[in-house]
Amino acid sequence: AQSVTQLGSHVSVSEGALVLLRCNYSSSVPPYLFWYVQYPNQGLQLLLKYTSAATLVKGINGFEAEFKKSETSFHLTKPSAHMSDAAEYFCAVSQTGANNLFFGTGTRLTVIP
Amino acid sequence: GAGVSQSPSNKVTEKGKDVELRCDPISGHTALYWYRQSLGQGLEFLIYFQGNSAPDKSGLPSDRFSAERTGGSVSTLTIQRTQQEDSAVYLCASSLIKAQSGNTIYFGEGSWLTVV
């Protein structure tokens, strides 16, 4: 079975501060891991994905995530938050044999000016 | 079109009525997915289509929900005898091939369904 846990349904950071959104996965085989962002009243947009190549994955808008097998984690980070980063962020996992992505419950990021 | 297109973008319906939601995937994408996003919840998988294979319906919450995909392209999600708990955003997505190989799934902007 596979699942994703996102710690913290709401995260607030000051503009310019580090962004850290946590994601832990459960998977019986090596997973593929994704971060999606959802801006208000919009669909989901892919930020980045891990597909067993480099463990540190760089995505759009300055975000990156590191796959840590020993910690079963795939936390999303950005060195300096911007007001435009305010959105909901979803971590997702898939694996060989699966027909779809399994999503976490999301983390809403608020950026304080 | 360039992206996944969904219609209607918003739908308000009375309890007990049937609704149809339409999805037009990215051209050439053989895999198509429907997800449901309820307020404050994550995304719940509903159904998956891959080419001409039998769909994976394992996520459909009840027999009031059904979906079809005609000609391997456009898909329609039908909810019969709608209930208030069906109120949610219904997201359609597509990918070149199925998700198991880490392929990116592209999402539409969703159909917001409100049952009153």
Side-chain angles (χ1 to χ4, degrees), chain A residues 36-38 42-46 90 103, chain B residues 37 43 91 107-108:
Chain A
Y36 280 84
V37 60
Q38 186 178 33
Q42 294 188 25
L44 276 74
Q45 179 183 1
L46 181 71
F90 292 93
F103 284 86
Chain B
Q37 184 178 22
L43 277 74
L91 291 164
F107 285 82

Side-chain angles (χ1 to χ4, degrees), chain A residues 9-84:
Chain A
S9 58
H10 291 86
V11 171
S12 294
V13 299
S14 297
E15 189 175 15
L18 172 70
V19 176
L20 171 60
L21 304 182
R22 299 179 185 275
C23 173
N24 288 88
Y25 68 90
S26 172
S27 176
S28 57
V29 296
Y32 301 109
L33 294 157
F34 304 78
W35 275 100
Y36 280 84
V37 60
Q38 186 178 33
Y39 297 103
N41 301 320
Q42 294 188 25
L44 276 74
Q45 179 183 1
L46 181 71
L47 272 179
L48 50 80
K49 65 179 181 181
Y50 167 75
T51 57
S52 75
T55 56
L56 181 62
V57 182
K58 295 186 182 297
I60 62 171
N61 301 337
F63 284 93
E64 62 182 37
E66 185 172 7
F67 172 70
K68 291 187 177 181
K69 184 178 179 180
S70 61
E71 299 177 7
T72 60
S73 69
F74 191 58
H75 301 330
L76 181 70
T77 60
K78 182 174 180 177
S80 176
H82 191 273
M83 296 299 295
S84 61

Side-chain angles (χ1 to χ4, degrees), chain B residues 7-71:
Chain B
S7 61
S9 54
N10 284 283
K11 176 73 176 179
V12 180
T13 190
E14 292 181 351
K15 178 181 174 180
K17 295 287 182 69
D18 296 352
V19 296
E20 287 189 349
L21 307 176
R22 175 190 166 102
C23 173
D24 199 344
I26 294 172
S27 179
H29 281 192
T30 59
L32 186 146
Y33 316 76
W34 283 99
Y35 286 84
R36 179 169 69 176
Q37 184 178 22
S38 302
L39 186 63
Q41 302 293 315
L43 277 74
E44 175 188 8
F45 167 73
L46 297 178
I47 189 169
Y48 160 80
F49 296 90
Q50 173 63 42
N52 295 320
S53 302
D56 177 353
K57 304 179 181 180
S58 59
L60 294 178
S62 76
D63 59 6
R64 296 187 295 104
F65 287 73
S66 64
E68 62 177 20
R69 188 178 185 190
T70 55

Side-chain angles (χ1 to χ4, degrees), chain B residues 53-111:
Chain B
S53 302
D56 177 353
K57 304 179 181 180
S58 59
L60 294 178
S62 76
D63 59 6
R64 296 187 295 104
F65 287 73
S66 64
E68 62 177 20
R69 188 178 185 190
T70 55
S73 181
V74 172
S75 176
T76 302
L77 177 68
T78 301
I79 308 172
Q80 296 179 308
R81 306 181 301 282
T82 52
Q83 303 295 314
Q84 288 186 328
E85 60 263 28
D86 299 334
S87 296
V89 180
Y90 290 83
L91 291 164
C92 179
S94 70
S95 64
L96 274 174
I97 55 177
K98 57 183 175 180
Q100 68 174 21
S101 299
N103 288 280
T104 299
I105 297 180
Y106 296 88
F107 285 82
E109 295 195 350
S111 290

